[in-house]
Amino acid sequence: MGGAGLSLSGAVDVSANSERNRHSEKYSATSNVRLVNPSLRTLLLIPKSWLILSINRDSLLLRWGSFYLPSQEPGLNSPDTANQLIAEHYDRTQYTSNAFFYSSPGHLRATAHLYGVETVPIEKARVLELGCAAGGNLLPFALAYPDAHAVGVDLSPLQIQQGQKVVQDLGIKNLDLRAMSLTDIDNDFGEFDYIIVHGVFSWVPPEVRQAILRICRENLSPQGIAYVSYNTYPGWKAGDIVRDAMLLHSHSATSDEEKLSSAKAMLTLLSDGLAASNPLAPSLRAAVAQLQKQSDYYVAHEYLETFNAPCYFLEFADAAQQAGLAYLGDAEAHCELSATYGQNVQLNHSLIALGQPKVLRQQYLDLAVGRNFRKSMLVHQEREADVAVSPNLDLLRDLRWAGHFTKADTPANAPVGSQAFTNHKGGPLHTSEAKVLAVIKVLSDAWPATISFSDLVLQVQASTLVEGNSGTAEQSVQEALEILFKLNQLRFSLEAGPYDDKRHDIPTLIPGFAYMQVASKDAAFGVGCFSFWHDVVNVQLKDAEAFILPYMNGTNSAAQLRTRLCDALRQGKVAGTDGNMLTGQRNLDAKVQEMLDKLMALLKAKGLLLA
């Protein structure tokens, strides 16, 4: 029952040496764990609900705080049992399967270009996602690129079944979702150009983490990219304390609901009940404040999961190297630029990181900014020499750009001349710079389509918002893009995408949205709506607007849509957007056109229209 170096002689403490090695050993070794203080022998009476931390060949360890105890539960020493526990938990506490733009193949390809790395064009790419849930992160890719092929693997049969139903209902032929353990994937599973592992690595036992990196090496094509996200220190240090406290208070819960309720009750102590002398109070309050904004399923899966093992970035990079992989960069490349965080960070980071290797430079930056989550891109180790130390902003000119900005009220305390906007995700932007104003106007007019750098220069120059010759306009656009890039305000790609297809000259929704909008009315539906930019889209439509969606399929002109909606309103099939019935009324064309114009503007802003 005990692992190497373990005996049941008392409670377990972790020496300073083992604490230092805690994450580099990935919890797979127990030789540094020693047992002390026989008076705490009673702690071995562990309730079944206490957290399973890790599994190795010899024993399973249970954790609360710094105590590590071997399990006395029969059968729990098997990784298969850990997989079963994870699957059962996800089946009981399902969450919405969404798209994430930073893990989309098109975004990964464009970001890799900034590091000087050549990748496979996405039109016919082979994509694998590990831990795909119901496939929400693969659906926009599969629908946008019918000649590509995507495979999703997840441990939860229920979530895979949900995704398979969506695939079947939409008639998608190039997306294959499978319920299986990723540890069963071997060379025969196939080779992929993009391997995506989002929200999995930190939340699985050590054997599965090792399998993830093995798959990223063995199943990755020669020019392929693997994407792996994970929780990181130092930012997750406060999260560790919050998680420990929540697990302690909920340890005797007999149901998932009771466990969640008890865990959330602990947040009051860690926010309102902290002593003024507590040196960690600011960090704990900040962690709790962020947690209180999240949904219950996020709290359950992020803080109450069986496994959650943050690590320092340097440790992840070392594990990747041992697996035969090389670190390329972060999928949100602006996060790797010290200038993103202000002049004080940039200056001091440049001094201490001077001459240091790429991964060490990034670890120093994580320490400076308190980073708690990374989205790392990996390539085969043989390609390490091709990777730039940091993203080359001169290569922004090679990309195609997109963005949508809506004028907002300028705060009373804003600098003189500053204008306020919200981007396509509702994020704020404040600027008084003419070059930035010119660029966001051109991009907004074209949204959701992309514009090349050269066309952007021409249109900015024609806008008269930036004075000077073509050389001046080119430099202004470059500087504006750098500003907006560092602020994470834009979307970008290396090639033209589905929004750039000029064949769509009549109102055409992106494939799948009309179906998803109807299906999402069911509270049990587990797939989120999306745009082809892989952004999560939430749209609340009136009955009249929802009625016309299925007809926006590329076969009805704007005039035909207006006629259809007029007939539906006149016949009393739906109410107007103000809720009033218009049964039998004539001369509805102007009113209906106004409804359609507002709907089109909304759909365009959300990236839901191809034309």
Side-chain angles (χ1 to χ4, degrees):
M1 182 164 57
L6 285 176
S7 61
L8 299 184
S9 58
V12 182
D13 189 22
V14 180
S15 65
N17 182 56
S18 66
E19 182 67 20
R20 185 179 68 248
N21 293 325
R22 177 176 165 192
H23 297 285
S24 61
E25 293 294 331
K26 297 293 185 288
Y27 303 106
S28 61
T30 58
S31 58
N32 287 323
V33 180
R34 57 186 176 84
L35 301 172
V36 298
N37 196 350
S39 66
L40 297 179
R41 186 188 303 268
T42 53
L43 279 178
L44 290 176
L45 299 176
I46 302 296
K48 293 182 179 180
S49 58
W50 277 34
L51 178 67
I52 300 169
L53 172 67
S54 65
I55 299 172
N56 58 32
R57 291 188 179 90
D58 299 313
S59 68
L60 178 141
L61 301 180
L62 298 179
R63 171 181 186 266
W64 180 79
S66 61
F67 291 97
Y68 293 74
L69 298 168
S71 171
Q72 300 184 66
E73 292 296 321
L76 286 183
N77 294 339
S78 165
D80 292 337
T81 304
N83 283 340
Q84 181 180 351
L85 289 170
I86 294 172
E88 289 175 351
H89 188 208
Y90 274 85
D91 282 346
R92 292 195 311 270
T93 314
Q94 295 187 42
Y95 61 94
T96 302
S97 179
N98 284 321
F100 301 93
F101 80 90
Y102 38 72
S103 68
S104 66
H107 180 83
L108 297 177
R109 172 165 162 78
T111 303
H113 181 76
L114 298 179
Y115 289 91
V117 173
E118 185 177 352
T119 55
V120 176
I122 62 176
E123 288 80 0
K124 297 183 179 181
R126 300 157 295 177
V127 178
L128 170 64
E129 181 169 19
L130 306 178
C132 68
N137 199 31
L138 291 173
L139 280 168
F141 173 77
L143 287 166
Y145 298 98
D147 292 330
H149 184 68
V151 178
V153 170
D154 198 273
L155 204 56
S156 169
L158 287 182
Q159 290 186 304
I160 288 295
Q161 288 170 12
Q162 280 195 342
Q164 288 172 337
K165 185 178 187 308
V166 175
V167 170
Q168 181 179 1
D169 290 349
L170 292 176
I172 302 173
K173 305 299 183 184
N174 62 337
L175 175 55
D176 180 16
L177 301 178
R178 307 182 190 182
M180 61 181 292
S181 172
L182 62 86
T183 57
D184 294 330
I185 294 175
D186 56 21
N187 287 331
D188 295 335
F189 200 78
E191 191 174 76
F192 298 89
D193 305 308
Y194 297 89
I195 297 178
I196 301 166
V197 195
H198 182 68
V200 178
F201 193 82
S202 293
W203 299 268
V204 292
E207 289 79 3
V208 180
R209 293 200 291 273
Q210 293 166 6
I212 287 171
L213 295 178
R214 172 183 59 77
I215 294 166
C216 288
R217 180 188 73 249
E218 295 180 355
N219 297 87
L220 190 67
S221 66
Q223 289 190 317
I225 288 182
Y227 161 99
V228 183
S229 66
Y230 49 97
N231 288 337
T232 56
Y233 293 131
W236 240 90
K237 288 289 187 179
D240 265 350
I241 298 174
V242 173
R243 173 172 150 82
D244 287 343
M246 294 172 75
L247 289 170
L248 176 64
H249 194 56
S250 62
H251 78 273
S252 61
T254 57
S255 68
D256 291 335
E257 293 75 14
E258 184 185 357
K259 184 174 185 178
L260 178 63
S261 177
S262 297
K264 291 172 68 175
M266 174 55 71
L267 299 181
T268 302
L269 175 65
L270 298 181
S271 54
D272 301 338
L274 294 175
S277 58
N278 188 332
L280 299 176
S283 298
L284 292 174
R285 288 196 182 99
V288 170
Q290 288 297 317
L291 188 55
Q292 289 174 329
K293 299 176 184 177
Q294 304 298 333
S295 64
D296 284 350
Y297 74 73
Y298 174 88
V299 174
H301 288 296
E302 184 75 1
Y303 282 79
L304 305 180
E305 272 291 359
T306 303
F307 301 92
N308 189 338
C311 64
Y312 283 101
F313 164 68
L314 202 61
E315 294 174 312
F316 174 83
D318 180 65
Q321 184 181 42
Q322 292 183 40
L325 299 163
Y327 178 69
L328 190 161
D330 199 88
E332 292 194 283
H334 68 284
C335 294
E336 296 215 316
L337 299 169
S338 57
T340 298
Y341 305 98
Q343 292 183 351
N344 64 315
V345 176
Q346 182 181 20
L347 174 61
N348 287 281
H349 180 261
S350 65
L351 291 174
I352 196 169
L354 183 65
Q356 298 293 345
K358 175 185 176 79
V359 294
L360 196 55
R361 293 173 63 88
Q362 284 303 306
Q363 182 61 75
Y364 288 164
L365 188 59
D366 281 8
L367 294 171
V369 304
R371 193 159 182 179
N372 64 2
F373 193 70
R374 269 192 171 266
K375 312 172 188 75
S376 294
M377 298 185 296
L378 305 170
V379 294
H380 285 293
Q381 206 164 74
E382 296 78 9
R383 307 185 69 194
E384 186 171 17
D386 301 333
V387 180
V389 172
S390 60
N392 182 354
L393 298 190
D394 289 339
L395 297 179
L396 297 179
R397 300 182 177 215
D398 296 343
L399 304 181
R400 298 181 64 89
W401 295 91
H404 185 272
F405 297 86
T406 305
K407 199 76 169 65
D409 294 333
T410 303
N413 60 349
V416 177
S418 178
Q419 297 186 44
F421 300 86
T422 55
N423 65 15
H424 72 289
K425 295 297 293 178
L429 173 68
H430 299 88
T431 184
S432 58
E433 296 197 48
K435 56 194 174 188
V436 174
L437 293 170
V439 166
I440 65 174
K441 182 183 186 307
V442 173
L443 293 177
S444 297
D445 290 343
W447 174 265
T450 64
I451 301 179
S452 68
F453 181 85
S454 57
D455 286 344
L456 191 53
V457 170
L458 291 174
Q459 294 190 46
V460 165
Q461 191 174 11
S463 72
T464 70
L465 292 175
V466 176
E467 299 179 353
N469 55 31
S470 59
T472 303
E474 186 172 310
Q475 183 62 30
S476 295
V477 169
Q478 172 72 28
E479 292 172 355
L481 287 178
E482 290 185 13
I483 292 171
L484 294 167
F485 175 79
K486 291 174 183 176
L487 293 174
N488 198 26
Q489 292 281 343
L490 303 177
R491 296 289 179 261
F492 51 87
S493 62
L494 192 54
E495 296 100 358
Y499 292 116
D500 303 313
D501 189 343
K502 302 305 180 184
R503 293 175 296 177
H504 300 292
D505 56 358
I506 57 178
T508 307
L509 286 172
I510 66 170
F513 175 69
Y515 166 88
M516 299 288 290
Q517 186 67 17
V518 174
S520 63
K521 294 180 180 179
D522 182 357
F525 186 67
V527 183
C529 293
F530 51 79
S531 74
F532 276 174
W533 280 115
H534 287 244
D535 286 315
V536 176
V537 175
N538 295 308
V539 178
Q540 300 297 322
L541 298 178
K542 304 293 178 59
D543 289 346
E545 296 169 328
F547 169 83
I548 205 65
L549 284 186
Y551 300 103
M552 299 174 67
N553 57 7
T555 64
N556 294 282
S557 67
Q560 290 172 318
L561 292 174
R562 184 174 64 244
T563 299
R564 285 185 179 274
L565 187 51
C566 279
D567 291 344
L569 291 167
R570 192 176 296 116
Q571 294 168 15
K573 292 182 179 179
V574 291
T577 53
D578 59 2
N580 295 321
M581 298 300 297
L582 302 172
T583 306
Q585 293 191 23
R586 298 186 179 186
N587 303 319
L588 291 175
D589 284 8
K591 183 184 289 289
V592 169
Q593 189 61 55
E594 183 181 357
M595 293 181 192
L596 288 174
D597 288 344
K598 290 182 178 178
L599 176 61
M600 295 288 191
L602 173 64
L603 295 175
K604 179 180 185 292
K606 297 293 186 179
L608 297 171
L609 280 180
L610 291 176

